[in-house]
Amino acid sequence: MSDPRVDTRLSVFKTYKLYVGGKFPRSESGRVYEVSDAKGNWLANAPLSSRKDARDAVVAARKAFGGWAGATAYNRGQILYRVAEMLEGRREQFVREVADAEGLSKPKATAQVDAAIDRWVWYAGWTDKIAQVVGGGNPVAGPYFNLSSPEPTGVVVVLAPQESSFLGLVSVLAPVIATGNTAIVIASEKSPLPALSLGEVLATSDVPGGVVNILSGRTAEITPSLAAHQDVNAIDLAGADEVLAKELEIAAADNLKRVLRPQTVDNAQWFATPGTERMTAFLETKTVWHPTGSLGASGSSY
Amino acid sequence: MTIEKRSSAFEYAPAPESRAVVDIAPSYGLFIDGEFVDAAEGRVFKTISPSTEEVLSEVAQAGEADVERAVKAARKAFEKWSALPGAERAKYLFRIARIIQERSRELAVLETLDNGKPIKETRDADLPLVAAHFFYYAGWADKLDHAGFGANPRPLGVAGQVIPWNFPLLMLAWKIAPALATGNTVVLKPAETTPLSALFFADICRQAGLPKGVVNILPGYGDTGAALVAHPDVNKVAFTGSTAVGKEIARTVAGTRKKVTLELGGKGANIVFDDAPIDQAVEGIVTGIFFNQGQVCCAGSRLLVQESIQEELLDSLKRRLSTLRLGDPLDKNTDIGAINSAEQLARITSLVEAGEAEGAERWSPACELPSSGYWFAPTLFTNVTQAHTIARDEIFGPVLSVLSFRTPDEAVAKANNTQYGLSAGIWTEKGSRILAVANKLRAGVVWSNTFNKFDPTSPFGGYKESGFGREGGRHGLEAYLDV
């Protein structure tokens, strides 16, 4: 006789929620939409974010910016590495979610998740090196100390790639926060669940609330107000199609947001080791001058 | 005896620089594919000397057909120019730099005539920097593999460049030197009020033997610039000018593959702490806002003074302003020249009137303005609040707004309270305070215990609505490379 408990146990579904300001709200609109796997089977209901949710995310990201940008690069690196650690522990869950979302076999989904975890580690190592690579002293023709250093641009809206629901997402998010920006991520519209689960990992990885905010819903519905938002400093159009990208770039001109245009990246290319472009796209260069004075022209021989 | 009387007792003898060193032709064409040609539609406009309103020359005005022709010439030239070994491109740029040095007195006088700025500035600031920019970027041409953008970085193609009237030749150098060093060809539109030095530069290209079509110059108005920016065969857009036009350009290039850099407006804060060396700070404030009649995008137009020294500093500043000499820009003793155009003078005047109407207190030293030309006396406003138009809008003239603060945090908050983020100044003897404040300022260039310093090796550019991209230095190469 079989154990009746096995036969009758109903699995516990997960209610997926947004991740805004370190909390997990439902959409302010109270709306959800059906998310299916690659074969069209229902997986879960994801929050259908409203423009109000987007505005709340901007407020949270702005509030978090000073602290995150002001944290030491070493500290940011530690936290990014912590994200990788926490992901490693929930590897199986993400493999399942990515396999479901993208219709991948288990080995293929595993490769995606492993690459995504490794990417966090890669960017964790960049936080305290980027300034040395892209900044430096300038030999001006005069008695001045003159130093250029990179600084984060501010609040960055990231349209996650539509196809690569997790590796693509991590590949565009990690560089933005590695350099001290705060982010509002619009998850892949079709496959938002790995992104929403990532929020749960970030919340337990010492990433301060508001540094990353994750919204799910209709990309074309949420993003125009973010592209036009006066308190957003930059936008990464990775997940926008050509028509939407142009519309958002025009809206972004209103306060001269930094715009990273969509690049043609197929799913295989996300595996390649990135360059620094995704970091430098959201950095400003600050140059500080100071007189050095002169100790006289007598020509000391050291 | 009042200050005014004493200064008249020791009046300077005029020391005018001779105009004879420059030979301005009665008319100029467009410079396309190595030749001076008429505009397709035959339109011309006059360029005048802002200090006398004298017509200097008649200049061809480029239209859409001319933009088409120039871009085509640049595209054709691009093939060979970009294929040239970097070392050879470098030599052309070194030649240009040398010729600029040789002709610098002529160019300084020309620039002063066409722009209205004092000869002291064109001679000692503009021209040396122009030559230095070509020298600096010349050296990069054969070293691009070492610039940190990966091996073998490629040029973008044809660069469409639109420059303003405040530093006509210097802005040309900022744009053309890195473009050519990286293997791009250029079509450049100088401003309608100051086209002459760019046309003289065309002659320098001829003397240097630069291949035809590598540099094309199209004088014209805003519509010429708009046509250039929108041209489908332009790969790179570089613009220096107003924030409003910069936004329009950002919209124009949306959805295209054009790379764009924008150097836009500013409203620089110059912060003076109570331990600052007052005399040096006063000099820095004067340089910050009265250099080039304040027609500088990174001008320190908002003075933030720590409350405890406000009175002392203002007394000192007013005394110093009373010694500034306004008048003939060709006179070597002149500190303040003419405003660039009647239009610009009207803009400054209306903003200053708004400042008075909103209750700020206006002060200028006793100052006689010449009867012809466009002039505005050095002006400072006290009782300014952050809500005032003059504290928020860029005036782009010799007008300083004075605000006060009590704590470093308040200074930073006030300095950052603007949509601009180009420049800022800090005056204090305390090193840690300089570093802490510089760290918190959202501005692309921070001058501490100095102001308005420029150098080709030093990147320049803004945060926020002051635009994006950097010009100058290694960073300036990125704008012209496919990276």
Side-chain angles (χ1 to χ4, degrees):
Chain A
M1 205 174 117
S2 61
D3 184 343
R5 282 172 305 176
V6 173
D7 285 335
T8 56
R9 180 175 184 275
L10 205 57
S11 60
V12 178
F13 285 159
K14 171 164 149 185
T15 304
Y16 284 88
K17 296 197 205 172
L18 304 176
Y19 180 51
V20 175
K23 297 196 165 64
F24 296 94
R26 293 188 165 89
S27 168
E28 160 276 339
S29 66
R31 301 178 303 174
V32 293
Y33 71 112
E34 281 193 20
V35 177
S36 329
D37 67 14
K39 291 190 187 113
N41 301 315
W42 181 82
L43 286 172
N45 292 325
L48 192 58
S49 302
S50 65
R51 282 178 297 182
K52 174 72 163 70
D53 292 317
R55 286 199 301 275
D56 291 346
V58 175
V59 171
R62 173 59 60 199
K63 200 170 155 200
F65 177 65
W68 185 241
T72 64
Y74 177 56
N75 185 223
R76 281 202 303 272
Q78 293 278 302
I79 291 173
L80 261 69
Y81 184 73
R82 180 74 177 155
V83 174
E85 287 180 344
M86 299 308 277
L87 273 176
E88 188 80 25
R90 295 170 72 162
R91 194 161 157 266
E92 290 310 315
Q93 175 201 335
F94 279 94
V95 168
R96 200 169 56 245
E97 284 183 326
V98 170
D100 284 347
E102 301 182 33
L104 297 175
S105 65
K106 195 175 174 197
K108 283 194 170 157
T110 305
Q112 297 268 341
V113 172
D114 288 351
I117 296 172
D118 293 353
R119 188 126 310 156
W120 279 112
V121 176
W122 194 74
Y123 278 112
W126 261 117
T127 58
D128 52 4
K129 294 164 192 75
I130 189 75
Q132 291 174 313
V133 171
V134 303
N138 308 304
V140 297
Y144 297 93
F145 167 77
N146 182 282
L147 188 76
S148 291
S149 341
E151 288 191 346
T153 293
V155 173
V156 182
V157 169
V158 180
L159 279 65
Q162 295 298 338
E163 298 307 321
S164 184
S165 66
F166 193 59
L167 176 56
L169 164 83
V170 167
S171 302
V172 296
L173 171 61
V176 167
I177 63 167
T179 50
N181 296 290
T182 55
I184 296 148
V185 182
I186 316 301
S188 162
E189 181 169 331
K190 185 165 58 94
S191 318
L193 304 185
L196 295 174
S197 289
L198 179 67
E200 298 162 19
V201 172
L202 297 172
T204 52
S205 303
D206 307 329
V207 179
V211 168
V212 177
N213 305 277
I214 301 173
L215 304 176
S216 59
R218 307 283 177 228
T219 306
E221 183 183 302
I222 314 166
T223 51
S225 64
L226 286 170
H229 200 297
Q230 294 296 303
D231 205 26
V232 170
N233 302 96
I235 186 163
D236 179 347
L237 298 174
D241 62 30
E242 208 177 308
V243 176
L244 180 64
K246 183 174 177 177
E247 181 198 328
L248 298 181
E249 188 174 344
I250 291 171
D254 262 3
N255 69 337
L256 292 163
K257 289 181 185 68
R258 280 59 175 141
V259 174
L260 184 59
R261 293 182 181 140
Q263 289 140 0
T264 37
V265 183
D266 66 37
N267 280 349
Q269 279 172 297
W270 288 118
F271 282 98
T273 304
T276 54
E277 306 85 46
R278 289 197 167 274
M279 286 185 283
T280 55
F282 305 114
L283 287 174
E284 301 294 335
T285 297
K286 179 187 279 177
T287 300
V288 179
W289 291 68
H290 193 280
T292 53
S294 169
L295 294 178
S298 58
S300 150
S301 56
Y302 290 89
Chain B
M1 189 189 254
T2 67
I3 288 169
E4 290 82 54
K5 275 186 194 154
R6 193 166 49 206
S7 74
S8 63
F10 291 95
E11 198 46 77
Y12 283 58
E17 175 68 67
S18 167
R19 282 183 66 153
V21 293
V22 57
D23 190 9
I24 301 173
S27 72
Y28 286 93
L30 314 169
F31 186 67
I32 299 176
D33 207 16
E35 311 281 343
F36 280 105
V37 294
D38 290 336
E41 295 168 38
R43 287 188 297 172
V44 293
F45 65 98
K46 292 180 168 57
T47 185
I48 63 166
S49 182
S51 62
T52 58
E53 299 176 56
E54 163 204 1
V55 174
L56 294 171
S57 188
E58 199 169 74
V59 177
Q61 183 181 341
E64 263 182 60
D66 305 303
V67 168
E68 186 64 44
R69 224 170 3 149
V71 171
K72 207 167 264 174
R75 171 64 53 198
K76 193 161 145 252
F78 174 66
E79 206 173 302
K80 281 190 182 160
W81 179 250
S82 59
L84 210 59
E88 296 304 302
R89 284 204 309 271
K91 286 195 280 184
Y92 280 113
L93 288 167
F94 278 122
R95 276 187 186 181
I96 290 172
R98 269 285 187 254
I99 296 170
I100 288 168
Q101 285 183 321
E102 284 167 359
R103 296 178 62 174
S104 72
R105 185 160 163 202
E106 172 196 0
L107 293 166
V109 173
L110 175 76
E111 195 84 312
T112 286
L113 284 169
D114 203 19
N115 169 283
K117 63 169 72 186
I119 186 74
K120 201 166 75 174
E121 291 179 8
T122 51
R123 182 192 63 195
D124 300 345
D126 295 49
L127 263 298
L129 278 169
V130 169
H133 267 86
F134 280 98
F135 274 115
Y136 176 74
Y137 279 110
W140 268 124
D142 55 356
K143 300 169 192 70
L144 296 174
D145 286 349
H146 302 281
F149 302 110
N152 195 26
R154 307 299 305 154
L156 297 165
V158 175
Q161 309 179 317
V162 178
I163 58 170
W165 45 259
N166 57 345
F167 293 90
L169 199 54
L170 183 59
M171 292 300 104
L172 173 146
W174 281 26
K175 298 280 183 291
I176 291 186
L180 298 194
T182 46
N184 300 275
T185 54
V186 309
V187 179
L188 176 131
K189 188 202 88 75
E192 65 269 20
T193 59
T194 54
L196 292 181
S197 52
L199 294 165
F200 273 57
F201 180 78
D203 189 54
I204 290 170
C205 294
R206 179 191 62 79
Q207 288 187 328
L210 193 72
K212 289 175 183 213
V214 171
V215 169
N216 304 275
I217 310 279
L218 297 182
Y221 285 72
D223 56 334
T224 312
L228 178 58
V229 165
H231 194 289
D233 205 28
V234 163
N235 307 96
K236 150 79 191 171
V237 170
F239 172 75
T240 295
S242 74
T243 292
V245 175
K247 289 179 181 180
E248 204 43 55
I249 290 173
R251 286 181 201 110
T252 304
V253 302
T256 70
R257 296 175 64 85
K258 285 177 191 170
K259 196 160 176 170
V260 60
T261 43
L262 303 171
E263 293 294 347
L264 309 175
K267 191 76 191 155
N270 208 354
I271 308 169
V272 184
F273 287 97
D274 57 6
D275 65 343
I278 295 284
D279 289 347
Q280 286 170 38
V282 164
E283 281 310 304
I285 294 161
V286 169
T287 310
I289 185 60
F290 300 114
F291 179 64
N292 201 22
Q293 294 73 246
Q295 302 169 131
V296 184
C297 52
C298 51
S301 55
R302 291 184 300 150
L303 178 64
L304 296 175
V305 195
Q306 197 148 19
E307 208 173 78
S308 52
I309 56 158
Q310 188 177 10
E311 214 179 299
E312 182 191 358
L313 183 88
L314 277 177
D315 285 349
S316 241
L317 184 60
K318 286 179 175 174
R319 205 159 47 235
R320 177 67 179 90
L321 291 192
S322 304
T323 67
L324 289 176
R325 306 174 64 81
L326 178 146
D328 180 7
L330 275 177
D331 191 321
K332 292 164 200 156
N333 295 321
T334 293
D335 299 305
I336 308 259
I339 299 300
N340 185 250
S341 65
E343 193 193 351
Q344 183 57 22
L345 179 60
R347 211 173 293 149
I348 296 169
T349 308
S350 88
L351 277 163
V352 163
E353 281 166 1
E356 277 191 294
E358 288 173 21
E361 206 167 294
R362 177 179 177 176
W363 182 90
S364 284
C367 181
E368 206 174 300
L369 302 181
S371 52
S372 62
Y374 316 124
W375 304 91
F376 201 89
T379 297
L380 71 85
F381 274 106
T382 48
N383 281 340
V384 180
T385 75
Q386 295 189 81
H388 281 155
T389 310
I390 52 167
R392 309 207 65 83
D393 288 1
E394 191 181 23
I395 297 181
F396 221 68
V399 182
L400 180 67
S401 299
V402 184
L403 296 96
S404 68
F405 67 89
R406 287 182 181 172
T407 65
D409 280 345
E410 189 188 346
V412 167
K414 282 184 167 167
N416 286 340
N417 182 17
T418 158
Q419 82 265 34
Y420 298 112
L422 193 49
S423 71
I426 306 167
W427 297 85
T428 169
E429 287 286 51
K430 198 168 173 178
S432 56
R433 184 180 286 157
I434 288 172
L435 296 175
V437 172
N439 220 5
K440 286 185 182 158
L441 291 172
R442 302 286 289 164
V445 186
V446 178
W447 286 290
S448 18
N449 291 330
T450 183
F451 209 95
N452 264 349
K453 290 287 182 294
F454 304 94
D455 192 276
T457 66
S458 180
F460 180 91
Y463 284 45
K464 300 195 270 186
E465 294 191 20
S466 290
F468 37 73
R470 293 293 179 269
E471 292 184 298
R474 185 192 70 84
H475 294 77
L477 292 168
E478 188 183 353
Y480 291 94
L481 291 172
D482 185 12
V483 291

